[in-house]
Amino acid sequence: MSLGVLYVVVTAAGATRQVPSRLLPLAAGQGWDVYVLATEQAQSTFPETMRQIAEATGRAVRTDFHTAVGYSLPDPDAVIVAPATYNTITKWALGIADTYVLTRLAEQVGRGIPITAAPYANVRFAAHPTYQGSLTTLKEWGVNVVIGPSEPHESGDGAADDFPWDAILATVSRPAGS
Ligand SMILES: Cc1cc2nc3c(=O)[nH]c(=O)nc-3n(C[C@H](O)[C@H](O)[C@H](O)COP(=O)(O)O)c2cc1C
């Protein structure tokens, strides 16, 4: 049985490489109909991952409005933003909608659907004076913020083995029968 439409928003953070192997099988196994949206920076930084995502979902990764790809997205029943860069967290928390992904995210806040963000930011980004305030703002808006056990991580572009994909998915998945 389908749980509904799940947007998975990926950004230009190292853990995006894990999305095809770690998140998508879990989400599909739970019955989500998954649409992946990527920032333009994610698309250009991780082109092979974008190909793997398209193959796994059977859909092109969305980085722009429907005029570019040829199909419109259904409204989501839940949204996961993972991994979320410092940049996307900061701009989303300010209400900025100057890209396709940020526009979609700004639209979803306040719709009453489950939204979860899981940052993947190194210690230098996390030390920026705005960072904790941005996470607090998202939480005040009702966004589930899931912080992995190794966050913030040390500098470098590796993907942490313990990025909390199961915990992230659990925040948006309804118990059976609800
Ligand atoms: C290989 C690579 C890995 C990166 N990893 C991260 C990361 O893990 N976390 C982060 O916040 N930024 C990371 N960055 C920097 C972001 O990609 C950069 O801030 C970018 O503007 C984010 O754009 P986006 O939020 O639209 O995806 C990385 C950049 C590169 C080139």
Side-chain angles (χ1 to χ4, degrees):
M1 195 183 76
S2 173
L3 282 182
V5 171
L6 174 66
Y7 284 5
V8 171
V9 175
V10 301
T11 66
T16 283
R17 294 192 188 94
Q18 299 180 357
V19 168
S21 60
R22 301 281 307 279
L23 178 61
L24 296 183
L26 278 178
Q30 291 186 6
W32 285 108
D33 189 15
V34 179
Y35 290 76
V36 177
L37 288 63
T39 63
E40 291 178 13
Q41 204 62 37
Q43 187 185 44
S44 61
T45 306
F46 305 113
E48 179 56 27
T49 303
M50 298 302 122
R51 277 192 287 278
Q52 292 168 352
I53 290 171
E55 192 177 314
T57 61
R59 299 180 170 115
V61 175
R62 292 295 298 261
T63 55
D64 205 343
F65 294 94
H66 73 276
T67 47
V69 177
Y71 68 92
S72 298
L73 294 189
D75 279 335
D77 297 291
V79 178
I80 286 173
V81 187
T85 55
Y86 163 83
N87 176 62
T88 290
I89 289 166
T90 304
K91 293 175 83 174
W92 185 17
L94 285 171
I96 292 171
D98 65 347
T99 64
Y100 174 69
V101 159
L102 288 168
T103 302
R104 285 296 191 179
L105 291 180
E107 285 173 341
Q108 302 314 320
V109 174
R111 285 191 60 234
I113 60 170
I115 304 176
T116 296
Y120 191 74
N122 67 38
V123 289
R124 295 178 188 169
F125 283 131
H128 191 284
T130 62
Y131 184 65
Q132 290 303 327
S134 298
L135 296 178
T136 299
T137 297
L138 294 179
K139 289 180 199 168
E140 286 170 357
W141 293 349
V143 174
N144 304 301
V145 175
V146 176
I147 306 289
S150 300
E151 280 298 304
H153 58 269
E154 292 302 320
S155 294
D157 75 347
D161 288 340
D162 58 3
F163 196 72
W165 295 112
D166 291 276
I168 291 164
L169 198 57
T171 59
V172 299
S173 294
R174 294 177 290 267
S178 68

